Amino acid sequence: MNDQTLTIYQQMLNKGYDRRDFLRFCGWMGALIGVEASGVGRIVHALETKPRTPVVWFHFQECTCCSESFIRSSHPIVGDIVLDKISLDYTETLQAAAGKQAEEALHETMKKYKGEYLMLVEGSVPTEENGVYCCIAGRSALDIVKEAAADAKAIVAWGSCASNGCIQAANPNPTGATPIHKIISGKPIINVPGCPPIGEVMAGTIVHLLAFDRIPQLDGLGRPKAFYSRRVHDTCYRRPNYDAGLFVESFDDENAKRGYCLYKVGCRGPVTYNSCGVIRWNNGVSYPIQSGHGCIGCSEANFWDNGPFYQHLASFPGFGIETTADKIGVAVGAATLAGMAAHSITTNIRKRREIKESIANSKTDKEGGA
Amino acid sequence: MHTATIRRYYVWQMPVRVYHWVNALCILSLCITGYLIGSPLAIQSGSEASFGYWFGTVRFIHFVSAFVFFFNFVGRIYWGFVGNKYAQWKNFIWHRKEQVKEIVDVLKVDILQAKIGPLKSIGHNTLASFTYFLSFLAFLFQCMTGFGMYAAMSHAWLPQMFAWVVPLMGGDFAVRQWHHLTMWFFILFSIVHVYLVFYHDYVEGRGVLSSMVGGWKFIEEEKK
Ligand code: HEM
Ligand code: HEM
Ligand code: SF4
């Protein structure tokens, strides 16, 4: 069990890290969450002096890719300390306790730290049929979320599931999968979308909350600005090819080998807010575009319905998968032009008659008048 | 002989005419560059990215035209309050009984090609006005979605004013799709609009076509 009175720093020392490791970790975190150099001192101070914040981590309709991503964060201390030691009073996938004991731990935390604990949610919440599609310990996810949120200090919605519904909310959304911010109101909610989010982004968000005791700056969709204020496209290393109009036409062409921009094979980088181009994945090794595949926009709402992934324009609803707005526009335009051609022919027939009549009239005018 | 007095009415003041042609040019430019942004040409050159910038230039032209388009539009709205009676904003939606009748008449002229007496309106006919009103709404929509997308690339106050559009519409992808789709409204509107202007000029003989250049319309008045 965790000792509630120890600070993160003490926990680290107990684990065998030294002060140098600790400072390096703080500096790294500071750079990641975008605080200025003087802010790093505050992180150090906070982690040295504050007793750990109690955290409960729920898993609902999800695939655990968020947890997987988190424990693969490039800094070992993240997995070791943040996840293992300080955080979790309750988390279905990692805790040793099971069944009754697990539930007891949860309720004890919720009672003892009323209004103080952080609530992390991975996965969406089904709302159809009273939420029977996801139940834990005999209760629906919907009930659990509402109960736990009532006394939480803040909520972090991990991944696209919890922040925008992700794949299980794709049309027709049979279980009524719903993101957290549509269920809970009146609590600060931080959305950290992505399928999964980048491990460093998750760690950065958590450390920000632990160190500053404050919600990071959020954008209009409740995402931390430090990680989601720029599009993948804005930091993409293939961007010069985009500006030069050098595009991959198909995945096996010469242009693909040259590493041109993937815009025309459906890259969603221009409409996706994330830090993949900067932080990258798996210890900064690569990210989808670097590996030759366009971005699929996994951190954007409805990305699953915005397909097909390999073309720039979505298919037009109701017109088959290959039909884009352009095809429909061309068809309607052609029909309009044809209609106008027909219209102008009948107009001319009519006008001919009118001109004839008017000539005839002027003739009779002349004959009668002169 | 059938004689009639033709009276010359000064209908479109200079600002309306300038607005019209600036607007038409902007829309032409925005549709061409917008289409290219949506479906860039396939250039199979082996060159390095540092030697080219044509796609960047296309986007630049789109954005410049967009700003001109926007302020031109704002100017026309202003003129709807201070311009002459033909330019007034009240013209754009019908609000009187005889205007409803005129809509029906225009539909008869346009679709059934019926021959009826001269229309009451000297400015836009009521149906035309209404389609312009719809196109103004489309202008607004296109500016909102366009600047909404632009807000991701600029911190200037004007695009930032529209930043709220993106979350409202459910993300950049959706905004882009709608923006793209609306382009087709403009293309179809322009085709039909230009055709109908020619058509009305042709069958009415009141100089509608030239009115957007010189400002005059020629209305026949029966001799008393
Ligand atoms: C009649 C007016 C306009 C038309 C027909 C038009 C058309 C288009 C089209 C077809 C696209 C390509 C969408 C795609 O990716 O498939 C586009 C992109 C765009 N338009 Fe417009 N547009 C118009 C006005 C505006 C205005 C007023 C703005 C305001 C700034 C604007 C800003 C943009 C932006 C930011 C993009 C995305 C460009 C990029 O990220 O590369 N547009 N437009
Ligand atoms: C060669 C192309 C064009 C010609 C000859 C033309 C001609 C005209 C004429 C003669 C009028 C006055 C019609 C009336 O009395 O009801 C008019 C009005 C108008 N046209 Fe065009 N037009 C052209 C292109 C366009 C384009 C591309 C657009 C934009 C999509 C456009 C938008 C409008 C609008 C909004 C009005 C109403 C003007 C106002 O009251 O402010 N026109 N046009
Ligand atoms: S590959 Fe995608 S993200 Fe990168 S420049 Fe091209 S369109 Fe933008």
Side-chain angles (χ1 to χ4, degrees):
Chain A
M1 269 274 102
N2 294 313
D3 189 339
Q4 209 66 60
T5 54
L6 292 187
T7 66
I8 293 181
Y9 177 51
Q10 285 162 329
Q11 303 249 16
M12 281 178 70
L13 292 181
N14 290 350
K15 257 249 152 163
Y17 291 100
D18 58 21
R19 181 152 180 89
R20 184 175 291 252
D21 294 328
F22 171 69
L23 292 178
R24 210 179 282 144
F25 172 71
C26 292
W28 184 76
M29 267 301 151
L32 195 62
I33 61 186
V35 297
E36 54 206 82
S38 60
V40 175
R42 290 181 55 195
I43 299 182
V44 173
H45 184 70
L47 298 190
E48 267 176 349
T49 53
K50 262 192 226 140
R52 71 181 202 97
T53 311
V55 177
V56 291
W57 182 321
F58 291 99
H59 299 253
F60 300 126
Q61 285 182 301
E62 48 92 325
C63 70
T64 319
C65 76
C66 300
S67 300
E68 289 286 345
S69 177
F70 192 65
I71 57 179
R72 273 161 189 70
S73 165
S74 50
H75 208 288
I77 290 175
V78 172
D80 217 16
I81 295 297
V82 179
L83 194 73
D84 204 25
K85 270 278 169 205
I86 46 151
S87 309
L88 306 169
D89 295 85
Y90 177 84
T91 176
E92 290 94 341
T93 32
L94 293 171
Q95 67 199 352
K100 195 163 182 292
Q101 285 130 324
E103 291 306 308
E104 265 170 12
L106 170 65
H107 283 99
E108 204 185 289
T109 307
M110 280 166 43
K111 238 194 292 152
K112 196 158 149 205
Y113 300 104
K114 204 170 165 174
E116 278 172 50
Y117 60 91
L118 275 183
M119 172 173 169
L120 315 184
V121 185
E122 190 176 344
S124 55
V125 175
T127 52
E128 288 288 317
E129 314 285 344
N130 289 326
V132 293
Y133 295 106
C134 179
C135 291
I136 298 162
R139 297 176 59 206
S140 71
L142 194 59
D143 277 350
I144 299 174
V145 143
K146 282 186 179 156
E147 186 195 350
D151 294 325
K153 186 173 180 186
I155 301 171
V156 179
W158 283 147
S160 291
C161 300
S163 51
N164 58 43
C166 205
I167 297 166
Q168 57 274 40
N171 204 20
N173 192 357
T175 65
T178 309
I180 304 306
H181 68 89
K182 292 207 177 135
I183 294 175
I184 305 297
S185 56
K187 287 276 162 187
I189 299 178
I190 303 162
N191 289 325
V192 186
C195 190
I198 305 173
E200 280 75 11
V201 168
M202 301 174 75
T205 306
I206 285 290
V207 169
H208 191 291
L209 285 168
L210 295 181
F212 294 110
D213 230 350
R214 207 164 357 117
I215 306 295
Q217 243 191 341
L218 304 181
D219 68 5
L221 291 173
R223 305 172 293 195
K225 274 192 177 168
F227 306 111
Y228 294 95
S229 63
R230 277 183 298 171
R231 300 170 303 167
V232 171
H233 185 62
D234 294 324
T235 50
C236 177
Y237 78 104
R238 297 197 188 210
R239 180 62 185 266
N241 293 291
Y242 171 88
D243 288 330
L246 299 171
F247 299 108
V248 172
E249 300 292 326
S250 73
F251 281 107
D252 52 1
D253 68 2
E254 200 47 40
N255 296 353
K257 278 190 211 144
R258 293 196 192 105
Y260 286 174
C261 165
L262 298 161
Y263 185 72
K264 286 178 81 172
V265 287
C267 181
R268 300 288 190 258
V271 291
T272 303
Y273 293 78
N274 212 333
S275 327
C276 302
V278 184
I279 301 175
R280 308 201 180 182
W281 289 81
N282 302 321
N283 302 346
V285 171
S286 180
Y287 70 115
I289 292 166
Q290 194 174 342
S291 310
H293 191 288
C295 166
I296 62 171
C298 75
S299 56
E300 290 289 312
N302 308 321
F303 78 96
W304 202 258
D305 290 326
N306 290 340
F309 286 149
Y310 299 105
Q311 61 188 41
H312 172 67
L313 279 182
S315 50
F316 202 77
F319 283 85
I321 196 125
E322 290 284 304
T323 315
T324 62
D326 279 354
K327 290 201 180 139
I328 291 171
V330 169
V332 178
T336 314
L337 286 173
M340 270 164 30
H343 191 270
S344 64
I345 291 169
T346 54
T347 306
N348 267 295
I349 295 171
R350 197 184 98 201
K351 178 136 175 173
R352 201 80 159 270
R353 209 181 302 137
E354 200 178 313
I355 294 172
K356 239 188 220 152
E357 272 166 23
S358 111
I359 293 174
N361 272 346
S362 61
K363 266 196 199 134
T364 48
D365 278 353
K366 244 182 238 161
E367 279 156 13
Chain B
M1 197 174 146
H2 166 82
T3 43
T5 326
I6 301 278
R7 229 186 106 185
R8 200 162 80 144
Y9 285 85
Y10 188 57
V11 181
W12 308 127
Q13 294 161 293
M14 180 68 108
V16 174
R17 277 137 55 206
V18 169
Y19 154 78
H20 180 269
W21 293 111
V22 170
N23 187 51
L25 287 177
C26 282
I27 286 182
L28 186 68
S29 147
L30 285 163
C31 286
I32 293 172
T33 54
Y35 187 82
L36 284 173
I37 293 170
S39 328
L41 302 171
I43 296 191
Q44 302 286 339
S45 85
S47 71
E48 282 294 322
S50 47
F51 296 118
Y53 194 69
W54 80 264
F55 199 59
T57 308
V58 168
R59 292 175 63 237
F60 180 72
I61 298 172
H62 193 82
F63 303 147
V64 171
S65 314
F67 275 87
V68 175
F69 173 79
F70 177 77
F71 286 108
N72 191 46
F73 178 37
V74 171
R76 179 63 182 89
I77 293 172
Y78 171 71
W79 203 254
F81 292 93
V82 302
N84 69 10
K85 69 173 179 197
Y86 305 109
Q88 285 289 325
W89 62 272
K90 293 188 214 74
N91 286 315
F92 288 97
I93 317 176
W94 70 85
H95 49 271
R96 287 194 312 267
K97 246 215 184 108
E98 65 259 35
Q99 287 178 312
V100 178
K101 183 178 170 297
E102 190 178 76
I103 291 184
V104 177
D105 283 352
V106 176
L107 284 172
K108 280 189 195 151
V109 173
D110 288 355
I111 297 173
L112 304 176
Q113 308 202 339
K115 203 171 167 238
I116 39 184
L119 297 174
K120 264 239 170 75
S121 294
I122 294 173
H124 304 303
N125 74 54
T126 316
L127 182 63
S129 304
F130 185 61
T131 64
Y132 302 142
F133 175 67
L134 292 183
S135 75
F136 289 154
L137 291 183
F139 290 172
L140 185 67
F141 183 76
Q142 201 70 340
C143 288
M144 281 166 45
T145 52
F147 281 112
M149 283 190 281
Y150 197 74
M153 329 170 196
S154 162
H155 289 290
W157 61 270
L158 178 58
Q160 286 304 324
M161 250 172 50
F162 294 92
W164 54 271
V165 175
V166 176
L168 186 75
M169 291 181 68
D172 278 57
F173 187 85
V175 175
R176 240 180 132 101
Q177 293 289 319
W178 281 108
H179 192 76
H180 194 113
L181 191 64
T182 312
M183 170 181 74
W184 286 102
F185 169 82
F186 285 101
I187 294 175
L188 294 176
F189 172 88
S190 304
I191 297 174
V192 174
H193 167 69
V194 174
Y195 177 74
L196 282 181
V197 169
F198 276 68
Y199 170 73
H200 277 263
D201 190 277
Y202 196 61
V203 299
E204 288 170 356
R206 298 162 118 194
V208 175
L209 187 50
S210 71
S211 72
M212 235 351 129
V213 180
W216 307 101
K217 277 195 187 177
F218 307 93
I219 309 297
E220 200 172 290
E221 282 180 350
E222 289 302 329
K223 220 174 176 178
K224 274 154 221 153

